[in-house]
Amino acid sequence: MERGSAAPGPALVVGLGNPGPDYAETRHNVGFRVVDLLATRAGGGRFSKHRSNADVLEGRLAGRRVVLAKPRTYMNVSGGPVANLAKYFSVPVADIVVVHDELDLGFGVVRLKRGGGEGGHNGLRSITSSIGTRDYLRVRFGIGRPPGRQDPADYVLKRFSGAEAKELGFAVDLAADAAEALLLDGLEPAQNRFHALSG
């Protein structure tokens, strides 16, 4: 996020997940949970279906305009809605924030970064392909590695364990705080603050 502009346009904050009730409680949908919490903080309005093929809510967070979005497509084709939203709302890549589950971080660990690889995450791969760059911001929500020889593709579509479920609300709250800090302070100050808080 760039600061100092007199009247910055909206930031686009996208939570990743799969649509429908069968996926709502799975690890892969934690991005939706974080964006739902941000919607409450932005005034508690309701998401509405947008022609970009996403559910969208416009509001204010951290003192600036935001477009909160949840693609209505499956995870592996999230990029189309994200590209369409960025174009429709005239959001530069520097102001796109993607909230997603992250296998390479322990459960509940929150990390922030701009760019880098997709780490096998099909949603990120689709976004990178659709917008033509990796240089968007990410809020990475740790879900940990699958136990034993469980296939990661199966693991991300399972519900959180009982122990994880007890801590999930706190972790979602932390990730939402981190997203707001990105909007308010920019990447490096937000990293300095939140990387010391989890993990």
Side-chain angles (χ1 to χ4, degrees):
M1 294 290 158
E2 299 296 332
R3 304 185 69 193
S5 174
L12 173 61
V13 182
V14 181
L16 295 188
N18 285 307
D22 290 346
Y23 297 101
E25 303 298 321
T26 66
R27 293 181 174 91
H28 224 18
N29 274 41
V30 74
F32 279 10
R33 288 178 182 253
V34 175
V35 169
D36 283 339
L37 178 56
L38 289 171
T40 300
R41 296 181 181 185
R46 297 185 64 170
F47 284 87
S48 58
K49 187 175 181 180
H50 191 268
R51 68 187 193 184
S52 63
N53 205 15
D55 291 327
V56 168
L57 184 149
E58 296 180 63
R60 294 190 71 84
L61 280 172
R64 68 174 296 181
R65 292 170 56 208
V66 291
V67 177
L68 302 174
K70 299 184 290 185
R72 297 177 66 91
T73 60
Y74 284 100
M75 176 75 81
N76 62 353
V77 287
S78 301
V82 174
N84 291 338
L85 285 165
K87 182 177 180 180
Y88 182 88
F89 289 101
S90 300
V91 180
V93 169
D95 287 342
I96 298 174
V97 180
V98 177
V99 186
H100 65 91
D101 58 302
E102 177 62 70
L103 284 164
D104 290 331
L105 296 174
F107 171 76
V109 173
V110 174
R111 292 287 181 267
L112 307 170
K113 74 173 184 176
R114 182 189 299 281
E118 292 92 14
H121 195 292
N122 290 330
L124 297 179
R125 185 179 292 124
S126 176
I127 291 170
T128 296
S129 176
S130 294
I131 68 174
T133 180
R134 293 173 171 170
D135 290 337
Y136 48 92
L137 292 158
R138 297 103 182 268
V139 178
R140 306 162 66 211
F141 187 110
I143 60 169
R145 281 278 167 189
R149 297 186 178 185
Q150 186 176 358
D151 184 346
D154 291 333
Y155 175 75
V156 298
L157 296 179
K158 301 290 186 185
R159 295 185 176 212
F160 289 97
S161 70
E164 290 169 339
K166 291 178 181 178
E167 302 295 328
L168 185 59
F170 173 80
V172 168
D173 198 59
L174 184 68
D177 288 347
E180 287 202 67
L182 277 178
L183 298 173
L184 181 64
D185 299 320
L187 178 59
E188 188 172 344
Q191 286 176 324
N192 290 341
R193 178 180 168 193
F194 284 90
H195 290 189
L197 288 178
S198 64

